[in-house]
């Protein structure tokens, strides 16, 4: 998950390269994951592919997941939970991080492993767990260390590199990775050296 979320986060997250951020993830994500254990056992909801006896786009997981509860979605609570955690570390990239967190859950509906209501419930649960974590001194300490590490490694700026306009590039529009895009591109873009949101 750290590898996937490194892209929208704007910085490679690893145990050696970003130990404080990695520690925050390693200690908080199990809490999100464990919160779905009892509801899964309680409701025992059949997964869509089991209910309709249809194949999924991840066939190698079908037998292993066949008799596990569908409601709520463990993948979604981990993905949305991690997105919430990383947004607090790097709020400048919240749009990109939340987009991946959202897609992480929706992919489970697309593959046939979850109903939409499984995913919706997990996002709600993740918000509750995230709020509860903020009452833990250990979590707050880990968060403070992760934020400090991010600020230090990013030079105290957002991970998006600000482009300095030049006479030949003043009108150019870039995406957050610095790749030229159309002037009408929607979302977060960099225009004339400034980060802007276009809709």
């Amino acid at each position: 998950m750290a590898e996937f979320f490194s892209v929208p986060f704007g910085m490679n997250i690893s145990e050696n390269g970003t130990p404080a951020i990695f520690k925050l993830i390693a200690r908080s994500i199990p809490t999100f994951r464990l919160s779905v254990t009892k509801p899964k056992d309680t409701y025992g909801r059949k997964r869509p592919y089991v209910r309709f006896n249809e194949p999924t786009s991840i066939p190698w997981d079908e037998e292993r997941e066949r008799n596990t509860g569908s409601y709520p979605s463990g993948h979604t609570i981990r993905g949305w939970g991690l997105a919430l955690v990383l947004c607090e570390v790097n709020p400048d990239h919240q749009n990109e991080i939340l987009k991946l967190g959202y897609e992480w859950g929706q992919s489970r509906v697309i593959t046939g492993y979850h109903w939409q209501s499984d995913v919706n419930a997990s996002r709600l649960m993740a918000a509750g767990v995230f709020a509860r974590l903020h009452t833990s001194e250990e979590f707050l300490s880990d968060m403070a260390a992760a934020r400090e590490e991010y600020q230090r490694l990013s030079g105290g700026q957002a991970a998006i590199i600000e482009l300095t306009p030049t006479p030949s590039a003043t009108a150019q529009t870039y995406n957050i990775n610095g790749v030229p895009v159309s002037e009408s591109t929607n979302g977060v873009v960099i225009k004339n050296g400034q980060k802007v949101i276009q809709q």
Side-chain angles (χ1 to χ4, degrees):
M1 290 183 75
E3 182 181 355
F4 279 105
F5 275 87
S6 292
V7 177
F9 187 73
M11 179 183 293
N12 186 46
I13 302 169
S14 68
E15 191 169 7
N16 294 325
T18 57
I21 297 170
F22 193 86
K23 179 184 177 184
L24 173 68
I25 293 170
R27 281 163 52 95
S28 59
I29 295 307
T31 304
F32 287 98
R33 182 179 59 80
L34 288 171
S35 70
V36 301
T37 303
K38 190 169 182 179
K40 275 183 177 288
D41 292 343
T42 299
Y43 295 105
R45 188 182 202 182
K46 285 187 178 181
R47 295 177 180 274
Y49 76 90
V50 176
R51 169 70 177 80
F52 296 112
N53 194 29
E54 292 179 345
T56 72
S57 57
I58 313 176
W60 53 88
D61 266 354
E62 289 175 12
E63 280 310 308
R64 182 169 62 93
E65 300 286 352
R66 184 169 297 277
N67 297 313
T68 60
S70 180
Y71 179 90
S73 165
H75 280 76
T76 300
I77 200 166
R78 291 195 301 274
W80 194 244
L82 181 53
L84 294 174
V85 167
L86 292 179
C87 279
E88 186 163 335
V89 177
N90 177 9
D92 290 321
H93 274 193
Q94 68 178 15
N95 291 352
E96 298 83 7
I97 295 167
L98 290 174
K99 180 176 184 289
L100 178 56
Y102 179 84
E103 291 171 346
W104 196 278
Q106 287 307 114
S107 71
R108 301 300 287 173
V109 178
I110 294 167
T111 59
Y113 276 81
H114 283 286
W115 308 92
Q116 184 65 55
S117 54
D118 301 339
V119 169
N120 294 347
S122 287
R123 290 194 188 111
L124 185 61
M125 288 180 69
V129 172
F130 187 58
R132 180 66 177 82
L133 281 171
H134 281 78
T135 67
S136 163
E137 291 300 325
E138 289 184 17
F139 173 80
L140 294 175
S141 175
D142 286 351
M143 178 59 76
R147 287 176 62 94
E148 186 281 325
E149 178 178 79
Y150 171 74
Q151 290 297 319
R152 179 171 43 80
L153 293 176
S154 65
Q157 305 172 24
I160 297 177
I161 299 170
E162 187 171 304
L163 302 175
T164 305
T166 63
S168 60
T170 22
Q172 183 62 62
T173 301
Y174 300 86
N175 66 17
I176 60 168
N177 296 316
V179 178
V181 294
S182 163
E183 250 183 72
S184 59
T185 299
N186 289 334
V188 179
V189 296
I190 300 172
K191 220 173 202 179
N192 298 326
Q194 301 295 316
K195 184 173 67 173
V196 297
I197 299 174
Q198 297 189 151
Q199 295 180 343

